[in-house]
Amino acid sequence: MNLIIVKDYQELSQAAADLVAREIIAKPDTVLCLPTGETPIGMYRELIQKYQRGEIDFSEAVAFSLDEYCSLSPEHPQSYYYYMQHTFFRHINIKAENIYLLNGITQDIVAECENYDKQILENGGIDLQILGIGNNGHLGFNEPAISLNSKTHLVNLSDDTIHANSRFFKNIEEVPTKALTVGMGAIMKATKIMLLASGEKKTAAINKTINGLISTRSPSTFLQLHPDVTIIIDKDAASKL
Ligand code: F6R
């Protein structure tokens, strides 16, 4: 694991955007798999600025979204569809046909998940997987469990996650209890993985990711087995290492 500890959130966002830019410059048709949440917002902002300055061209890039809540329509401001479009895609020149987003309100979850895995494969797999991390060590919505699912699948969100994500909703009752997520298989098969974490609340999860026993109870520990992982964290998130 390549661990990069930076001063603060601003430096983290810059370092993350620099890594993405290097990948896209080296391979313009890079297949990205992208997270939502608070952590990557600064990285998306930096990437948009790089695009506006003419430093990166997304016209051949492909992007998959990592997960999606069930029961929220794409127009819902807390849906990951809405987040990805508004935070990133609509500000860059990625082609609409190269954007893949999970439909959380599908009538056929099995087909939706199978089709998503098929689309990832048809695009040659993920070149760069970008991840945030849950306080409980989840990656995407692969929650701590007795066993992990390698494929895109339906998840019952853990109480930890529902509680953590309630900060984005008016109250905890509004947080969806189910979600779709890309599975650990596609994540672990990505050529390169970049994990981002900021703030003291992530210290325990980061410590386990790097130094913990590999366990389905801490999904991020599986990253120890991946040959090309870069972890970028700020000093606060590194304070227990
Ligand atoms: C979101 C996702 C989640 C988040 C994680 C951290 O698409 O995949 O795993 O990355 O819950 O969220 P933040 O960044 O809000 O702390």
Side-chain angles (χ1 to χ4, degrees):
M1 282 177 162
N2 175 25
L3 176 64
I4 300 173
I5 302 175
V6 295
K7 189 172 71 168
D8 56 18
Y9 182 70
Q10 178 55 27
E11 277 192 13
L12 176 140
S13 303
Q14 271 161 2
D18 287 348
L19 190 149
V20 178
R22 280 197 298 276
E23 292 300 311
I24 292 182
I25 290 164
K27 184 174 185 290
D29 59 351
T30 290
V31 178
L32 301 161
C33 186
L34 301 171
T36 66
E38 204 174 340
T39 313
I41 288 177
M43 174 193 74
Y44 291 133
R45 194 184 52 228
E46 293 292 324
L47 284 170
I48 292 165
Q49 286 171 9
K50 282 179 187 293
Y51 163 68
Q52 287 167 344
R53 292 195 298 263
E55 292 166 18
I56 348 175
D57 172 16
F58 290 93
S59 61
E60 288 180 52
V62 175
F64 283 84
S65 178
L66 180 56
D67 39 21
E68 179 60 283
Y69 286 124
C70 293
S71 76
L72 299 188
S73 73
E75 299 78 39
H76 192 291
Q78 292 308 329
S79 76
Y80 289 177
Y81 181 104
Y82 188 98
Y83 172 113
M84 288 310 308
Q85 295 288 0
H86 287 257
T87 310
F88 193 37
F89 296 146
R90 62 158 58 179
H91 305 287
I92 58 171
N93 66 336
I94 191 166
K95 292 191 184 114
E97 66 262 33
N98 287 347
I99 296 174
Y100 295 86
L101 291 148
L102 282 159
N103 175 7
I105 52 168
T106 177
Q107 294 302 308
D108 190 344
I109 286 174
V110 173
E112 177 72 17
C113 293
E114 280 179 7
N115 192 37
Y116 209 62
D117 283 334
K118 199 167 140 239
Q119 286 167 328
I120 292 175
L121 277 180
E122 283 169 359
N123 278 280
I126 299 162
D127 292 309
L128 176 59
Q129 173 68 61
I130 305 176
L131 297 166
I133 184 169
N135 304 342
N136 64 358
H138 74 204
L139 298 180
F141 278 137
N142 293 280
E143 297 279 39
I146 294 170
S147 63
L148 294 175
N149 194 331
S150 71
K151 299 197 167 152
T152 299
H153 60 284
L154 175 70
V155 191
N156 289 315
L157 296 175
S158 68
D159 290 345
D160 270 351
T161 298
I162 291 171
H163 183 259
N165 289 4
S166 64
R167 70 194 196 280
F168 301 117
F169 292 82
K170 271 195 224 110
N171 56 58
I172 198 157
E173 284 73 38
E174 280 190 13
V175 186
T177 56
K178 291 180 190 298
L180 302 181
T181 186
V182 168
M184 290 299 288
I187 293 175
M188 291 298 287
K189 271 189 241 146
T191 309
K192 191 185 266 291
I193 297 178
M194 175 172 73
L195 173 77
L196 307 175
S198 168
E200 270 181 41
K201 62 181 185 296
K202 297 291 169 74
T203 53
I206 286 298
N207 199 3
K208 266 197 197 161
T209 305
I210 298 169
N211 300 314
L213 283 179
I214 296 171
S215 160
T216 59
R217 298 285 185 193
S218 303
S220 62
T221 57
F222 282 86
L223 297 181
Q224 294 171 23
L225 301 173
H226 192 279
D228 190 350
V229 179
T230 298
I231 299 183
I232 308 179
I233 54 178
D234 58 18
K235 271 194 188 143
D236 289 344
S239 57
K240 279 208 185 108
L241 285 177

